[in-house]
Amino acid sequence: MKNINKVLDILEETYPDAKCELEYTTPFELLVATILSAQCTDVRVNKVTGEMFKKYNTPEDFTKLSIKEIEEEIKTCGLFRSKAEKIKQTSEKLCDVYNGEVPNTLEELTKLPGVGRKTANVVLSNAFGQDAMAVDTHVFRVSNRIGIVNTSTPEKTEFPLMEAIPKKRWSHSHHLLIFHGRRICKARKPECEICPITKYCKYYKDNFK
Ligand code: SF4
């Protein structure tokens, strides 16, 4: 897409506060929060972790809890049973293999139970300041609507987006596309009438011109 920098510039002006909306103070807290965020709002995750991290916020803390106890902490999040298991197993592996530290490479992160490329990229870009492109459902939908990529699933979107967007802008683009997807380019009905990038948008051209 030849106007990609222009589109990102406009989104930056529109969302000057775009950033990770999960609250965390360490890479491990972000890892847990990102695991919890699957099919759950960031607001809900922040509520749960706000209480939980006061009591437990290291891999070692979670290895000492039973899965039932972790479930109890996170039960207001969707899919809490499988998430409790993932948090427990990931904590055990971090303690056994990584000395209780979260590794800072995609390869090592994706070896952790329940950590896919999206979660790993969120941790790499936000907690470790690396250039990474995490693709969630918003990033997938919005980037396809605009015409930055033409892909069929979130999983198939990471590499085309990395091709289309300058590397230095990968991490922030993730936040910009999520902010745009939550506020204007919504899943069920995009609010094109108030969108600042109609001029560059493929969906808009295809549907309203
Ligand atoms: S013009 Fe419509 S479809 Fe395109 S980015 Fe804006 S809200 Fe989304």
Side-chain angles (χ1 to χ4, degrees), residues 142 145-146 180 184-186 190-193 195-198 201-204 208:
V142 176
R145 277 189 185 150
I146 298 171
H180 194 51
I184 295 181
C185 195
K186 296 173 185 172
E191 296 178 10
C192 302
E193 60 284 1
C195 181
I197 53 172
T198 49
C201 178
K202 181 175 182 302
Y203 178 96
Y204 189 84
F208 300 111

Side-chain angles (χ1 to χ4, degrees), residues 17-24 30 33 41-47 49 122 126 138 174-175 178-180 182-183:
D17 302 330
K19 62 171 173 39
C20 181
E21 294 188 282
L22 294 170
E23 289 164 5
Y24 64 96
L30 178 59
T41 65
D42 288 356
V43 173
R44 163 67 50 200
V45 173
N46 289 338
K47 258 196 191 138
T49 56
V122 166
N126 293 293
H138 295 293
H174 161 85
H175 300 309
I178 289 179
F179 265 57
H180 194 51
R182 285 183 175 152
R183 289 155 181 80

Side-chain angles (χ1 to χ4, degrees), residues 28 31-32 34-36 38 62 67 70-71 74 78-94 112-116 119:
F28 179 71
L31 180 59
V32 171
T34 310
I35 289 171
L36 291 176
F62 284 94
I67 290 183
I70 301 175
E71 282 178 5
I74 65 169
L79 310 173
F80 68 96
R81 291 212 162 84
S82 67
K83 288 175 184 175
E85 232 170 89
K86 285 176 189 170
I87 292 169
K88 171 91 171 164
Q89 290 169 355
T90 281
S91 297
E92 286 171 348
K93 186 151 184 184
L94 288 174
L112 298 169
V115 178
T119 299

Side-chain angles (χ1 to χ4, degrees), residues 2-209:
K2 71 177 192 308
N3 289 310
I4 184 66
N5 279 311
K6 187 76 204 151
V7 166
L8 295 174
D9 289 347
I10 296 171
L11 291 178
E12 267 179 15
E13 276 166 34
T14 312
Y15 309 109
D17 302 330
K19 62 171 173 39
C20 181
E21 294 188 282
L22 294 170
E23 289 164 5
Y24 64 96
T25 61
T26 63
F28 179 71
E29 285 189 2
L30 178 59
L31 180 59
V32 171
T34 310
I35 289 171
L36 291 176
S37 71
Q39 295 190 33
C40 187
T41 65
D42 288 356
V43 173
R44 163 67 50 200
V45 173
N46 289 338
K47 258 196 191 138
V48 167
T49 56
E51 289 306 311
M52 181 168 75
F53 289 158
K54 284 183 202 158
K55 295 177 275 180
Y56 320 106
N57 80 334
T58 66
E60 204 189 348
D61 292 339
F62 284 94
T63 59
K64 290 177 187 157
L65 297 178
S66 67
I67 290 183
K68 274 267 162 271
E69 286 170 315
I70 301 175
E71 282 178 5
E72 195 53 36
E73 291 291 328
I74 65 169
K75 66 183 178 204
T76 55
C77 290
L79 310 173
F80 68 96
R81 291 212 162 84
S82 67
K83 288 175 184 175
E85 232 170 89
K86 285 176 189 170
I87 292 169
K88 171 91 171 164
Q89 290 169 355
T90 281
S91 297
E92 286 171 348
K93 186 151 184 184
L94 288 174
C95 287
D96 291 348
V97 184
Y98 299 101
N99 209 16
E101 300 286 332
V102 175
N104 65 355
T105 66
L106 186 70
E107 197 194 345
E108 299 297 330
L109 278 166
T110 51
K111 284 182 191 161
L112 298 169
V115 178
R117 293 184 69 94
K118 189 209 88 173
T119 299
N121 281 325
V122 166
V123 172
L124 288 175
S125 59
N126 293 293
F128 294 116
Q130 296 181 21
D131 298 317
M133 178 52 80
V135 179
D136 72 351
T137 166
H138 295 293
V139 173
F140 164 65
R141 180 184 72 256
V142 176
S143 61
N144 271 279
R145 277 189 185 150
I146 298 171
I148 303 172
V149 292
N150 180 14
T151 56
S152 55
T153 64
E155 292 71 32
K156 289 181 185 164
T157 304
E158 182 186 338
F159 291 110
L161 262 189
M162 287 162 76
E163 285 278 308
I165 293 176
K167 188 173 180 187
K168 279 280 153 239
R169 302 191 85 163
W170 287 351
S171 295
H172 196 52
S173 300
H174 161 85
H175 300 309
L176 293 171
L177 293 169
I178 289 179
F179 265 57
H180 194 51
R182 285 183 175 152
R183 289 155 181 80
I184 295 181
C185 195
K186 296 173 185 172
R188 277 188 46 207
K189 192 178 176 304
E191 296 178 10
C192 302
E193 60 284 1
I194 57 162
C195 181
I197 53 172
T198 49
K199 193 172 144 193
Y200 304 105
C201 178
K202 181 175 182 302
Y203 178 96
Y204 189 84
K205 266 188 211 120
D206 292 349
N207 289 281
F208 300 111
K209 279 193 168 176

